[in-house]
Amino acid sequence: YGSIDVVENALQSVQDDSDAQALTNMSPHCLSYRCVCVCGLYYLHAVKKVAPSFVITLCVYGNPEGRTLDNYLINNHLNGDGPRLIDWIHVMAYAGYDADVQYIENYTKAPKSEWDHPINQGVANDSVVICMKGTKGFPTCDPEDYHNMLSYVSEVGLRGVGIWAFANTNSNGSLPWFDPTCTQGYFTLCDGLLDLDTCGSMQL
């Protein structure tokens, strides 16, 4: 979250920043993606150096298995001893309340002993946003799943709830989860998360 000037300055900084060389000491799990890792880490480091308050978030899958770069960033630059380059994660769940909570806890209650879990330690609850599907993906425009998730977010202290309105089908972006006439659930989330007087009068 920030201006294009921050991004441009960071790109220039990547070319000159000798301090960023330390970020190339990656774990073996990252080496198969060395080019992506090095370029990405240089860039993240440069952004934070140019604008420390610039917020950088990472979208991750509900199941972290096999997500080498994502897991490296979480283990070293959200958790761990490396410089804090990731401010929080967005867990891309969009399944429904029960499955979404399982996906959240793949990160917040890591590592899980029943399988070879790639997250070294639990991500703090306030460093997690859960991304749910839009209202059109549910039977009603004010889904029970949203109400249940609001209770869960309040109970455990998640950072918030995001909404996914589209899916990529056969490389063609579509909006199967968004209907501008089916918005009550968004007002429910707004009221529950933000407590704003204007939630019910939002224009979508």
Side-chain angles (χ1 to χ4, degrees):
Y1 302 91
S3 70
I4 191 64
D5 291 340
V6 170
V7 177
E8 291 175 345
N9 290 339
L11 289 171
Q12 180 60 43
S13 175
V14 167
Q15 301 176 33
D16 309 321
D17 188 359
S18 59
D19 292 340
Q21 295 293 332
L23 295 175
T24 60
N25 296 323
M26 299 172 294
S27 77
H29 299 294
C30 197
L31 293 179
S32 60
Y33 293 90
R34 186 171 183 83
C35 180
V36 174
C37 282
V38 171
C39 294
L41 289 172
Y42 274 18
Y43 177 71
L44 296 177
H45 176 85
V47 168
K48 286 298 190 182
K49 186 172 183 179
V50 169
S53 62
F54 192 96
V55 174
I56 299 175
T57 67
L58 177 67
C59 289
V60 297
Y61 290 91
N63 184 344
E65 286 188 287
R67 311 296 177 183
T68 304
L69 179 55
D70 291 349
N71 297 336
Y72 178 83
L73 290 171
I74 291 170
N75 286 334
N76 295 277
H77 300 293
L78 175 59
N79 294 334
D81 298 326
R84 180 72 178 261
L85 302 179
I86 304 298
D87 290 282
W88 63 77
I89 60 173
H90 291 253
V91 180
M92 301 183 291
Y94 40 77
Y97 172 75
D98 292 333
D100 289 357
V101 168
Q102 292 180 17
Y103 292 146
I104 292 167
E105 294 182 353
N106 281 340
Y107 293 91
T108 61
K109 294 188 177 181
K112 296 199 170 190
S113 60
E114 64 265 29
W115 41 287
D116 185 16
H117 204 288
I119 305 299
N120 294 340
Q121 68 184 64
V123 175
N125 289 327
D126 63 0
S127 293
V128 177
V129 171
I130 178 62
C131 295
M132 304 181 75
K133 59 187 176 183
T135 53
K136 196 176 178 182
F138 294 97
T140 73
C141 293
D142 191 16
E144 183 180 357
D145 297 65
Y146 286 6
H147 291 265
N148 291 338
M149 187 59 73
L150 281 174
S151 297
Y152 181 84
V153 168
S154 176
E155 177 186 347
V156 304
L158 290 192
R159 177 166 287 274
V161 178
I163 297 296
W164 283 75
F166 74 94
N168 192 3
T169 304
N170 297 324
S171 300
N172 295 315
S174 59
L175 296 171
W177 297 328
F178 181 73
D179 179 345
T181 68
C182 185
T183 58
Q184 183 56 48
Y186 307 138
F187 302 144
T188 294
L189 290 175
C190 180
D191 284 330
L193 294 169
L194 302 177
D195 194 25
L196 297 177
D197 292 338
T198 56
C199 283
S201 60
M202 290 188 301
Q203 297 296 315
L204 297 179

